[in-house]
Amino acid sequence: MSDVQAPRFEATLTDKYQSTVPAAVRQTLHLGKRDRIAYVIRDGQVILEKVETWDNQVDPAVQAFLGFLECEMTTNPQRLKPFGGEATRRAAELVEGVEIDLDAPLEGE
């Protein structure tokens, strides 16, 4: 085993047991705002891992579209309309009788 010490980064817990992930750790794990992290306890030590989710892998085109929608909703809230009435009836009609197994493997898996 090597005598070289691994880098060590400290953080302080708040009254609500929260802390800030140090910048060097965020950079190493390529963490961004709203990313998820996991704490893995192994042999009395805690390992911090980035959780890879669909949210972490959003297509840039989808991200741009979502940004557009956010901007549009903020600047033109009068354009927002509730989803109901005829639209709800039509949506229900379109999926009537369709059965979905959420546990089934996706095509190509």
Side-chain angles (χ1 to χ4, degrees), residues 5 8 11 21 24 31 38 45 56 64 67 76 84-85 87 91 96 102 105-106:
Q5 286 281 343
R8 179 184 173 98
V21 177
L31 293 172
Q45 295 186 342
N56 299 89
N76 298 301
E96 186 176 340
L102 296 177
L106 296 174

Side-chain angles (χ1 to χ4, degrees), residues 1 5 19 32 34 43-45 48 50 58 85 94-95 105:
M1 202 168 219
Q5 286 281 343
S19 71
R34 311 301 302 167
D43 298 325
Q45 295 186 342
L48 182 70
K50 180 178 182 177
V58 174
L94 289 170
V95 297

Side-chain angles (χ1 to χ4, degrees), residues 8-23 26 39:
R8 179 184 173 98
F9 304 98
E10 295 184 5
T12 302
L13 289 176
T14 67
D15 291 338
K16 293 184 178 184
Y17 298 99
Q18 298 171 333
S19 71
T20 300
V21 177
R26 292 192 311 265
Y39 298 91

Side-chain angles (χ1 to χ4, degrees), residues 22-67:
V25 175
R26 292 192 311 265
Q27 292 166 357
T28 300
L29 294 178
H30 306 287
L31 293 172
K33 292 180 181 178
R34 311 301 302 167
D35 279 350
R36 295 178 46 83
I37 55 175
Y39 298 91
V40 180
I41 300 172
R42 191 177 298 140
D43 298 325
Q45 295 186 342
V46 178
I47 299 167
L48 182 70
E49 296 178 341
K50 180 178 182 177
V51 175
E52 292 296 338
T53 64
W54 172 249
D55 293 341
N56 299 89
Q57 304 167 16
V58 174
D59 183 297
V62 172
Q63 199 68 18
F65 179 67
L66 293 175

